[in-house]
Amino acid sequence: MNNLALTYSAQGQWDEAGKLQVQNLEIRKRVLGPEHPDTLTSMNNLALTYSAQGQWDEAGKLQVQNLEIRKRVLGPEHPATLTSMNNLALTYGNQGQWDEAEKLQVQNLEIRKRVSGPEHPHTLTSMNNLASTYRAQGQWDEAEKLQVQNLEIRKRVLGPEHPDTLTSMNNLASTYRAQGQWDEAEKLQVENLEICKRVLGPEHPHTLISMSNLAVIYGDQGWRDEAERLRVQVLDKRKISLGPEHPDTLTSMNNLAFSYRQRGRHAEAVALMKNCVALQTQKLSEKHPDTQGSISFLRQWEEEMEKTSVQETTSQRE
């Protein structure tokens, strides 16, 4: 049951995954007890599904409970406890509770360094997550220092073409872009994309993320043709590999709508965003943050088109 739920999650079928995970958690509580390791695993998985659906309150409640039990039963430095701590920190970040997220991630990183060592994969994941929290708060120097360190260690320990190394490279490029360091961002992102294509394949999820991020860099520099070309490719490949209604596919649809708008193709942008909103409402729910963001932009674009249409009509009458 748990494995099927994880398969649904990987396909973006969150409702189906959530139903199975609720059932799985209830059975394990009754049969194994509320503090059994397998029960806690089920609780963790359900919380992650809630997070993916943007149900941050529900996710946070489960994760707080999960962390408290694991601390008491397994100890504060057990790997499973540290996983729970990390997941709760990510949920705090999604809710914009950056202070709480940062405190947990600093604590998590310190324990990981002491228990597992400074170059252990789990330690490097904690370092990466803390850097992302710094970046989200605009603490660019702190984020960049950690990400440079993270990338150097992963290159040396895992190799320059390991998927985790490529993730670190991608994250550092995003930090460079956020600071307006276009040359550094572009060089790193182009290198990342080339390696992803060669090592993972042109349709691998990591490759498509890299391609999408490069499109953002091009768009920010005003290279709109290049940005749109990449976004069309990403959308087409995600439709084929993930399906037309997968959340990542819908993100690509949203991004392409922005490219259309940037190039003055307003009617096409609105039409594509309408389709995106309809699918997000169906697959993610109307309350999901991604859906709400798309709805907000769609309304804004429709109002601007209507104003433009009225102005053009008035000018013709004059």
Side-chain angles (χ1 to χ4, degrees):
M1 185 183 297
N2 184 63
N3 290 340
L4 179 58
L6 294 176
T7 299
Y8 283 145
S9 294
Q11 296 174 329
Q13 301 182 43
W14 308 121
D15 288 342
E16 292 83 348
K19 288 175 185 176
L20 278 181
Q21 287 168 334
V22 167
Q23 185 179 356
N24 185 272
L25 178 58
E26 291 174 349
I27 293 172
R28 281 182 164 171
K29 278 184 177 179
R30 187 176 69 251
V31 175
L32 302 175
E35 298 186 351
H36 189 279
D38 290 348
T39 305
L40 298 178
T41 297
S42 295
M43 186 184 297
N44 179 71
N45 291 343
L46 177 57
L48 293 177
T49 295
Y50 286 150
S51 291
Q53 294 175 297
Q55 300 180 34
W56 311 125
D57 289 343
E58 293 82 348
K61 288 175 185 176
L62 276 183
Q63 287 167 335
V64 167
Q65 183 182 357
N66 189 276
L67 177 57
E68 290 174 350
I69 295 174
R70 280 180 163 168
K71 277 184 176 178
R72 187 176 67 253
V73 174
L74 302 176
E77 297 186 351
H78 189 280
T81 304
L82 297 178
T83 296
S84 295
M85 187 184 296
N86 176 72
N87 292 343
L88 178 57
L90 294 176
T91 296
Y92 284 151
N94 286 325
Q95 293 175 303
Q97 300 179 39
W98 301 117
D99 288 344
E100 292 83 348
E102 183 179 332
K103 287 175 185 175
L104 279 182
Q105 287 170 334
V106 167
Q107 182 183 356
N108 189 280
L109 179 56
E110 289 173 349
I111 296 174
R112 293 273 194 196
K113 282 181 177 179
R114 187 175 66 253
V115 174
S116 302
E119 297 186 351
H120 189 280
H122 291 170
T123 304
L124 298 177
T125 296
S126 296
M127 185 186 296
N128 180 68
N129 291 342
L130 177 57
S132 295
T133 295
Y134 285 149
R135 185 178 64 193
Q137 297 178 87
Q139 300 179 37
W140 308 119
D141 289 342
E142 292 85 345
E144 184 178 331
K145 286 175 186 175
L146 275 184
Q147 288 171 334
V148 167
Q149 182 184 357
N150 189 276
L151 177 57
E152 290 173 350
I153 295 173
R154 279 181 164 169
K155 278 184 176 179
R156 187 178 70 253
V157 174
L158 303 175
E161 298 185 349
H162 188 280
D164 289 350
T165 306
L166 297 177
T167 296
S168 295
M169 188 184 296
N170 181 72
N171 291 342
L172 179 56
S174 295
T175 296
Y176 285 149
R177 179 189 66 81
Q179 297 178 85
Q181 300 179 36
W182 308 120
D183 289 342
E184 293 87 343
E186 184 185 344
K187 287 176 185 176
L188 204 55
Q189 198 70 64
V190 167
E191 181 185 359
N192 184 273
L193 179 56
E194 290 173 351
I195 297 174
C196 283
K197 282 182 176 179
R198 186 178 70 252
V199 175
L200 303 175
E203 296 184 356
H204 190 278
H206 289 180
T207 304
L208 298 181
I209 289 172
S210 184
M211 190 181 295
S212 181
N213 288 344
L214 182 57
V216 174
I217 293 171
Y218 286 156
D220 286 348
Q221 296 179 88
W223 302 350
R224 293 172 180 174
D225 289 347
E226 293 85 346
E228 182 181 329
R229 176 179 56 81
L230 284 178
R231 282 172 171 162
V232 168
Q233 287 184 48
V234 173
L235 178 57
D236 289 343
K237 290 179 184 294
R238 280 180 167 166
K239 281 182 177 179
I240 293 169
S241 61
L242 301 176
E245 298 181 354
H246 190 280
D248 290 349
T249 305
L250 300 182
T251 296
S252 295
M253 189 180 294
N254 178 288
N255 292 341
L256 182 56
F258 273 92
S259 279
Y260 286 158
R261 178 174 166 77
Q262 288 172 346
R263 299 191 65 195
R265 296 158 62 179
H266 299 291
E268 290 176 78
V270 167
L272 189 58
M273 190 62 85
K274 278 184 178 178
N275 190 18
C276 181
V277 166
L279 290 171
Q280 285 177 327
T281 301
Q282 177 186 341
K283 297 300 294 185
L284 302 177
S285 86
E286 187 175 348
K287 295 181 180 180
H288 191 281
D290 290 354
T291 310
Q292 285 295 306
S294 296
I295 289 172
S296 177
F297 283 115
L298 177 59
R299 286 173 179 165
Q300 177 186 333
W301 296 356
E302 287 177 328
E303 288 174 3
E304 290 175 0
M305 280 187 66
E306 189 172 338
K307 288 179 182 177
T308 301
S309 177
V310 170
Q311 289 172 355
E312 289 175 351
T313 302
T314 303
S315 297
Q316 290 172 0
R317 287 175 180 171
E318 291 173 351

